[in-house]
Amino acid sequence: MDHPDLSAAPHTDDRARRPADAPADPYAPLGPLLAAEAAAEALPGGGVEAADLEQAVWLRLLELGGPPPEPDRWVRRAVRAEARAHARRIRSERPYGDPDAAGPPAQLRGVEELVLAAEQHRTVQAAVRRLPGRCPQVVTALMSRSDPTYREISRELGISQGSIGPLRSRCLGCLRTILNSRVGSPVRRGNAR
């Protein structure tokens, strides 16, 4: 029995095997709906473009592995969800080089961060009070919000202006030791090292 030579048969693609009434692409009817929904959600000045929304929703759609059972409803929900997700990302982003990029603005900081900052301030203040000799007065003067000069500090504390620099170095060294150990103050006699 002779078998036909299949290698010589003309190449047929999937379209030739598909019934005539079946659409060529099951996703094709979703294109115009998706474009309209994305255009409606991408308002001018909103920070998201319609093309970006379309691309994100197409990706979601392809990850499903087939068209959803209620495509119009699914597309509307998916576009809105992508628009909300994009808006959340925009709110949390900071431009490179922005002075506020180191942390969120004060009004956006959480309660936990505020409590931790207050606790850190109390810890430093307690450590300053435990410093030996004139160090509490010197460090308090240096930490003043008025940012006094050495001349103003020397007048206020009654010490020579030339001794403030070395005294400041010793006091900050003691403060660093106290904060690192968190045990207590060094011995109040002799020079602090």
Side-chain angles (χ1 to χ4, degrees):
M1 179 168 155
D2 286 334
H3 293 290
D5 184 15
L6 296 176
S7 63
H11 177 68
T12 58
D13 61 4
D14 289 339
R15 284 178 278 167
R17 293 184 209 156
R18 219 179 274 133
D21 60 345
D25 181 9
Y27 298 105
L30 299 178
L33 176 63
L34 177 55
E37 289 291 331
E41 285 294 323
L43 298 173
V48 62
E49 294 183 20
D52 293 337
L53 286 175
E54 280 187 65
Q55 183 179 12
V57 174
W58 275 119
L59 182 62
R60 276 181 155 198
L61 188 60
L62 293 174
E63 287 174 344
L64 285 178
E70 297 178 17
D72 55 342
R73 190 174 180 190
W74 186 92
V75 167
R76 272 189 225 106
R77 285 183 177 177
V79 169
R80 289 181 184 139
E82 285 297 327
R84 283 190 306 268
H86 186 77
R88 278 192 303 270
R89 283 191 302 272
I90 291 290
R91 281 192 304 266
S92 66
E93 289 179 349
R94 298 283 178 263
Y96 182 74
D98 186 3
D100 293 332
Q107 67 269 22
L108 296 179
R109 292 194 317 189
V111 173
E112 182 178 349
E113 290 175 356
L114 293 173
V115 168
L116 290 174
E119 180 62 30
Q120 184 180 23
H121 182 74
R122 281 191 296 270
T123 302
V124 170
Q125 292 298 327
V128 167
R129 287 191 298 272
R130 292 192 311 254
L131 288 171
R134 299 200 76 164
C135 286
Q137 294 89 12
V138 171
V139 173
T140 302
L142 291 169
M143 290 173 44
S144 171
R145 290 182 187 245
S146 65
D147 194 26
T149 63
Y150 276 11
R151 177 177 289 160
E152 294 168 341
I153 293 173
S154 71
R155 231 179 302 137
E156 180 184 332
L157 299 179
I159 57 177
S160 71
Q161 186 176 340
S163 64
I164 293 177
L167 183 58
R168 177 191 68 104
S169 295
R170 284 194 304 272
C171 293
L172 291 178
C174 289
L175 181 62
R176 189 177 305 113
T177 301
I178 291 171
L179 290 173
N180 285 339
S181 68
R182 296 195 184 194
V183 173
S185 67
V187 178
R188 290 194 181 263
R189 293 182 306 227
N191 290 333
R193 296 177 195 218

